[in-house]
Amino acid sequence: MKSFQWMRPWILSLFLSVAMAGACAQAQSGKGEFEPQVGQEGKDVIWVPTPQLLVDKMLDIAKVTPKDYVIDLGSGDGRTVITAAKRGSKALGIEYNPDMVELSKRNAAKEGVSDKASFVKADLFESDFSQAQVITMFLLPDINIRLRPKILDLNPGTRIVSNSFTMGEWSADDTVNVKDGCVSYCTAYLWIVPAKVEGTWQLPAGDLTLKQSFQMISGALKSRGNSTPIANGKLKGDQITFNSGGVLYTGRVSGNVMEGSLSTGGSWKATRAGK
Ligand SMILES: C[S@@+](CC[C@H](N)C(=O)[O-])C[C@H]1O[C@@H](n2cnc3c(N)ncnc32)[C@H](O)[C@@H]1O
């Protein structure tokens, strides 16, 4: 029952009824074509489709554009990939169940997006998704946590959207609930992969020492023997902001350099001194 642990009892009984009705319909239709059943076993997670309203909302909060390459981890019947493709994005579904992969390809063809939507039969834990600008998923909390180190190594700015399940102590950058027309699994979480800034940085005025916990940063700016703590330090992808001594620093991190502007006017630049 491990894979059912995330379902509330009433949802479990609902999907079992739907599954049985589906099985009867398939038997009656007598067609040989594969028909997915809600709740069917998957390698690490059963298949439950994301409500289309939430698929739309997930792509909205990730601000998906035709410039983005979208990858859905555990793509089910392909609906998220197909929806992204309809928005003009190139999109890939990674799905372990070969029948679901073939079904997704048929669904993409029916929707006229086979040129943009592709699907591979693969294990998401063994797949490279580093080229994506947007990752979508509807997995399980413990799977999100297992994926988290790999996700944090993605390019800063990569957007991650998850249906219903969080990333442990990595708090979401945005959360949206669909209230109208959505019955279950109606919450989408967004994270933006932060640049890695922990360590010491040199500015003309002194040394900036940063501690990082996901997108949150703390630390101090040491100048001429004085240490001024930084406040409200935050990363949004490669965009950094913090306050020090009443001055707001905003800037962009690019490898071992970060630079930007000061609320008092003028600019700032820091180079990495070490970890
Ligand atoms: C809860 S469903 C979500 C489907 C789809 N992403 C959606 O939101 O509608 C999870 C999907 O992940 C697939 N899956 C489970 N373990 C997997 C693995 N290790 N690699 C790839 N796909 C997997 C299942 O077959 C299932 O289709």
Side-chain angles (χ1 to χ4, degrees):
M1 290 293 280
K2 179 180 176 293
S3 48
F4 291 90
Q5 71 194 12
W6 55 301
M7 307 198 86
R8 293 184 207 112
W10 68 271
I11 297 172
L12 183 62
S13 55
L14 176 67
F15 96 66
L16 284 175
S17 323
V18 172
M20 287 175 71
C24 290
Q26 192 175 7
Q28 279 165 14
S29 79
K31 284 187 199 157
E33 202 165 82
F34 169 75
E35 281 186 39
Q37 305 299 324
V38 174
Q40 72 192 15
E41 282 295 324
K43 182 174 176 287
D44 295 291
V45 191
I46 60 172
W47 177 62
V48 176
T50 295
Q52 185 59 43
L53 283 170
L54 195 70
V55 170
D56 295 335
K57 194 53 86 180
M58 287 167 74
L59 300 183
D60 286 349
I61 64 169
K63 297 192 171 73
V64 167
T65 76
K67 287 186 185 154
D68 292 317
Y69 180 36
V70 179
I71 296 185
D72 190 32
L73 302 179
S75 49
D77 64 0
R79 60 184 60 202
T80 306
V81 170
I82 290 166
T83 307
K86 283 178 163 178
R87 292 187 181 201
S89 310
K90 216 173 126 224
L92 172 72
I94 297 174
E95 169 58 51
Y96 197 77
N97 181 329
D99 291 327
M100 296 302 274
V101 172
E102 292 312 311
L103 172 71
S104 301
K105 288 179 180 169
R106 289 196 295 277
N107 289 344
K110 276 183 207 148
E111 298 293 332
V113 291
S114 298
D115 56 333
K116 293 209 178 297
S118 42
F119 299 91
V120 285
K121 191 264 159 206
D123 186 334
L124 61 92
F125 286 109
E126 287 164 19
S127 300
D128 176 13
F129 43 85
S130 61
Q131 296 311 304
Q133 278 82 44
V134 177
I135 306 274
T136 56
M137 53 201 209
F138 180 22
L139 297 167
L140 281 170
D142 61 310
I143 294 183
N144 288 4
I145 298 295
R146 275 172 70 192
L147 287 171
R148 200 173 71 183
K150 198 165 165 183
I151 287 174
L152 284 164
D153 275 342
L154 295 173
N155 292 325
T158 306
R159 289 101 80 200
I160 318 297
V161 210
S162 166
N163 175 353
S164 294
F165 300 117
T166 60
M167 289 273 187
E169 63 273 34
W170 183 10
S171 56
D173 291 292
D174 196 5
T175 304
V176 173
N177 292 295
V178 174
K179 294 197 177 76
D180 292 336
C182 186
V183 179
S184 54
Y185 303 113
C186 304
T187 302
Y189 297 97
L190 170 78
W191 296 264
I192 300 171
V193 173
K196 293 188 168 81
V197 297
E198 176 137 333
T200 302
W201 298 75
Q202 285 171 340
L203 288 94
D207 279 358
L208 174 68
T209 303
L210 297 178
K211 281 248 163 235
Q212 178 168 7
S213 175
F214 305 103
Q215 69 273 61
M216 309 310 282
I217 47 175
S218 56
L221 182 57
K222 285 184 195 138
S223 180
R224 292 191 207 102
N226 291 326
S227 180
T228 312
I230 68 162
N232 304 321
K234 199 159 181 204
L235 286 153
K236 189 174 177 190
D238 62 0
Q239 305 296 312
I240 187 166
T241 53
F242 58 91
N243 264 283
S244 180
V247 179
L248 175 66
Y249 291 66
T250 54
R252 180 169 175 264
V253 185
S254 177
N256 291 330
V257 175
M258 50 186 173
E259 57 190 321
S261 54
L262 301 166
S263 58
T264 49
S267 59
W268 65 281
K269 180 173 179 176
T271 50
R272 194 188 286 276
K275 286 250 172 189

